[in-house]
Amino acid sequence: MQQLPFPRFLRQVLLADAAAGALMALPLLAAADALSPLLGLPAVLLRAAALLLLPVAAFVAWTGTRPFLPVRLVWCVIAVNLLWVADSAALLLSGHLAPTMWGQALVIVQAAAVALFAELEYLGLRRARRSRTEQQGQQRFA
């Protein structure tokens, strides 16, 4: 597995992503029954989303705390985030559910936040690779 020095920016983005996922999961899990009528989304869906978010958040946090940058794991985090965004769009566009205005807003806002995390993680990964390439180039000429 390719490993790079772990840039601070990418580490912070991964840890923020993990924290946001956990913070989203906790109220969904604790108050699914109360949130369901407000959001127009089934309580079982809210609980399932929360139960999926918790291990994903733990994995993202674990990835963000490695001593070296595990490139493949970061790509997995990006892929899972993009899948979450696609699933959020599918939930709204499928017509199988009829979320309220608040439910639609929640799905859209959280999908936008997850898309932003994916973009920032991609930029951080690109920056880390560029930094490594520059360091290798400087070592050749030193």
Side-chain angles (χ1 to χ4, degrees):
M1 184 180 310
Q2 183 183 10
Q3 293 183 335
L4 304 173
F6 215 139
R8 185 174 179 195
F9 172 77
L10 182 54
R11 184 182 302 275
Q12 290 174 337
V13 170
L14 287 166
L15 294 176
D17 185 356
L23 288 173
M24 180 73 178
L26 294 176
L28 290 180
L29 192 58
D33 290 326
L35 290 171
S36 180
L38 175 68
L39 301 174
L41 297 168
V44 69
L45 175 66
L46 299 175
R47 277 191 207 90
L51 291 172
L52 182 65
L53 278 171
L54 290 172
V56 169
F59 172 75
V60 174
W62 180 83
T63 301
T65 58
R66 301 301 86 213
F68 290 95
L69 175 60
V71 174
R72 287 185 186 158
L73 296 182
V74 175
W75 277 114
C76 287
V77 170
I78 293 168
V80 167
N81 280 344
L82 293 175
L83 182 61
W84 185 274
V85 172
D87 285 347
S88 296
L91 179 114
L92 292 178
L93 298 173
S94 70
H96 293 325
L97 298 174
T100 65
M101 178 184 67
W102 292 109
Q104 291 174 22
L106 175 70
V107 172
I108 291 167
V109 168
Q110 62 81 32
V114 172
L116 178 62
F117 279 123
E119 177 68 17
L120 292 173
E121 288 154 355
Y122 172 74
L123 291 174
L125 194 56
R126 221 172 74 185
R127 187 185 293 180
R129 286 185 168 183
R130 187 179 316 126
S131 174
R132 181 176 183 210
T133 302
E134 289 171 2
Q135 288 174 356
Q136 288 174 342
Q138 289 173 356
Q139 288 174 355
R140 287 186 200 152
F141 295 112

